[in-house]
Amino acid sequence: MQRLIPTGEAARPVAFAEAPQPVPEPGEALIKVEAFAPNRGETFLLEHPHPGVLPGKDIAGLVVQAAADGTGPGIGTRVVGHPAQGGWAEYAAVPTHSLAVLPDSIDSVRAAALPLAGITALRLLRTAGSLVGRRVLLTGASGGVGHYVTELAVRAGAELTAVTATPERGERLAELGAEVVHEVAGTHGPFDVVLESTGGPDLPLALAKTRPGGTLVWFGQASRTPVTLDFFQLLGGPERATIRHFHYAGAPYGSDLEVLVSLVQRGRLHPEIGRIADWAETAGTLVDLRERRIRGKAVLLIGGAR
């Protein structure tokens, strides 16, 4: 079979290679991959890839070999999955606890856009707690996670302010009910909850917008710039504010994937997909994703699947 492997080159991060078809563990199903969605964080890992790393965490496809231990869906079932790695290939072995069955009404493109960004959004909002009537600030809002957080948070009753780099990147967020601004300094606090994903100078600015006793949940550093906090500046800022570190990872993922599939099926969640292309265009798509030239998610198709 063919799979994409890292090259270590910035202009062409991946290349095709021939590889043996994966042999599933007893608790894994073998999936014929129809579509996959790269994440911006994966583009950073590809800059200095570890030996033997096989990228790919968000896939949709067809079960061609059921798990030997009897768990999970049977042969011929359409699924969405979140393997630890190896999804940018014609076939992938995925733990059955990290699969969800797809209804006929959800195509592989929308399904592939769900896993990492959708799971992150669900778990991030659970961490934030009840949002009914609360003022929420979301930075770095125009990527896949930001779109899911915005739609879910507004539906949950939040008054959400989304920070995006440009008006164009914020158009869909405004349609979903967010107030869109283009710099943290221009937001009007105080906020009950801040969901911060850019790091660098934005985090201290966002923290200063938090109400006394409020919470800042730090879930990313998209700017790739470390954060500097000044103790004495904090003394003049919000009293008793809490900073919580957040990372989405932690299997099993199947139950969260089922929630996401159900939300899409019921018309309560709409994946924002900025690009759909054949997987022959993966390298260029990864560069554009890294450089923030794609709004929302990018999805790559294998064998012309849809």
Side-chain angles (χ1 to χ4, degrees):
M1 71 168 193
Q2 284 194 307
R3 74 159 61 254
L4 289 163
I5 61 171
T7 64
E9 301 172 12
R12 191 176 66 104
V14 293
F16 284 101
E18 287 293 326
Q21 190 170 293
V23 177
E25 296 292 330
E28 295 180 333
L30 185 65
I31 311 301
K32 186 180 189 298
V33 180
E34 297 177 346
F36 63 85
N39 296 285
R40 190 163 181 261
E42 291 173 300
T43 71
F44 302 154
L45 296 175
L46 291 173
E47 293 176 2
H48 305 285
H50 299 299
V53 68
L54 299 174
K57 298 174 72 66
D58 292 0
I59 69 167
L62 192 71
V63 176
V64 294
Q65 181 180 326
D69 67 0
T71 61
I75 293 174
T77 305
R78 296 180 60 245
V79 293
V80 57
H82 191 52
Q85 64 169 358
W88 301 354
E90 292 181 295
Y91 294 88
V94 185
T96 56
H97 61 57
S98 294
L99 290 171
V101 174
L102 291 173
D104 292 339
S105 59
I106 300 181
D107 56 74
S108 295
V109 171
R110 287 185 296 159
L114 289 175
L116 191 149
I119 294 167
T120 299
L122 284 180
R123 295 182 175 185
L124 185 63
L125 292 174
R126 288 174 191 148
T127 299
S130 174
L131 297 179
V132 178
R134 302 179 82 190
R135 303 195 70 225
V136 179
L137 174 63
L138 173 65
T139 66
S142 61
V145 174
H147 280 86
Y148 290 139
V149 167
T150 297
E151 186 165 14
L152 293 172
V154 170
R155 282 187 176 274
E159 180 184 334
L160 188 135
T161 299
V163 182
T164 69
T166 65
E168 293 75 20
R169 294 181 69 85
E171 287 175 354
R172 176 62 178 150
L173 299 171
E175 292 173 4
L176 292 171
E179 177 186 356
V180 177
V181 298
H182 308 301
E183 55 181 23
V184 176
T187 61
H188 302 291
F191 296 97
D192 300 292
V193 178
V194 173
L195 306 174
E196 211 296 295
S197 68
T198 54
D202 278 349
L203 189 147
L205 289 173
L207 182 61
K209 303 280 186 173
T210 307
R211 69 163 176 80
T215 300
L216 182 148
V217 184
W218 188 8
F219 71 101
Q221 192 160 290
S223 68
R224 311 185 72 181
T225 304
V227 171
T228 299
L229 292 176
D230 186 296
F231 176 82
F232 296 102
Q233 286 185 349
L234 287 178
L235 288 176
E239 297 178 357
R240 307 179 311 283
T242 299
I243 299 176
R244 296 190 60 174
H245 175 265
F246 172 90
H247 187 241
Y248 91 100
Y253 300 107
S255 60
D256 281 341
L257 289 173
E258 290 172 359
V259 170
L260 294 166
V261 168
S262 176
L263 289 168
V264 174
Q265 187 177 24
R266 290 183 287 135
R268 298 179 64 84
L269 188 67
H270 301 81
E272 179 70 14
I273 300 172
R275 179 176 301 177
I276 303 170
D278 186 87
W279 74 322
E281 300 177 38
T282 301
T285 299
L286 290 171
V287 172
D288 288 343
L289 195 63
R290 183 185 69 213
E291 301 303 321
R292 290 191 173 278
R293 292 194 282 262
I294 297 173
R295 187 178 75 179
K297 297 290 294 181
V299 178
L300 289 307
L301 304 175
I302 299 179
R306 282 282 173 176

